[in-house]
Amino acid sequence: GDQQYLKIKGGNFIVQTFWFHRCLCLYAMARTNKTKKRKYIAQAKRIHKELNNSLKNKNPNILHYVSLLNAEKAALKQKKYQEDDVKKLYNNAITMSARGGYVHDAELAQERF
């Protein structure tokens, strides 16, 4: 299932929105479910990597997605002394979303923060 969809490079914006939300949910499930944490993180990393590759291939429409996923990944792996770094990543994601006109995504980032 997932492998078939991951082969879609670029695609329309709905596909990338779907993958962003799926990755966000996987990171959230990894935070709460300790028994399947490795499984969820592995799936999320694959999707996160594809979105990063799409951003590197000059797709500016997903910059705010990638910044929020970076913050989620950092929050999942944070140590006690890294809280300030995670806060900066979340604030960066909120700012990018708001400046880009993606107010719903900015609110989502604020809620996840």
Side-chain angles (χ1 to χ4, degrees):
D2 287 349
Q3 296 300 326
Q4 181 182 16
Y5 289 110
L6 279 176
K7 290 180 182 176
I8 298 173
K9 300 290 183 188
N12 62 16
F13 70 95
I14 295 172
V15 173
Q16 293 170 343
T17 303
F18 169 76
W19 283 116
F20 162 70
H21 286 99
R22 182 169 174 93
C23 188
L24 192 63
C25 289
L26 287 167
Y27 280 137
M29 289 189 302
R31 273 192 190 179
T32 59
N33 191 339
K34 300 298 181 193
T35 58
K36 296 183 180 179
K37 183 177 181 175
R38 289 178 58 199
K39 175 184 170 185
Y40 293 141
I41 289 175
Q43 290 178 8
K45 280 184 178 180
R46 275 196 307 270
I47 297 169
H48 194 167
K49 182 180 175 184
E50 286 296 323
L51 289 173
N52 268 329
N53 288 341
S54 182
L55 181 64
K56 287 177 185 175
N57 289 332
K58 310 281 192 264
N59 184 355
N61 297 324
I62 62 167
L63 179 62
H64 64 289
Y65 288 165
V66 173
S67 64
L68 179 54
L69 292 177
N70 289 338
E72 283 290 321
K73 185 177 178 181
L76 187 63
K77 296 183 179 224
Q78 80 173 351
K79 307 285 186 215
K80 289 196 179 216
Y81 60 86
Q82 294 174 325
E83 290 176 1
D84 290 337
D85 296 335
V86 174
K87 287 179 184 179
K88 287 178 187 176
L89 287 172
Y90 272 110
N91 285 329
N92 188 23
I94 293 166
T95 303
M96 282 187 186
S97 297
R99 285 185 181 166
Y102 304 103
V103 291
H104 293 91
D105 294 328
E107 179 58 35
L108 179 63
Q110 180 65 39
E111 188 175 312
R112 296 294 304 158
F113 180 50

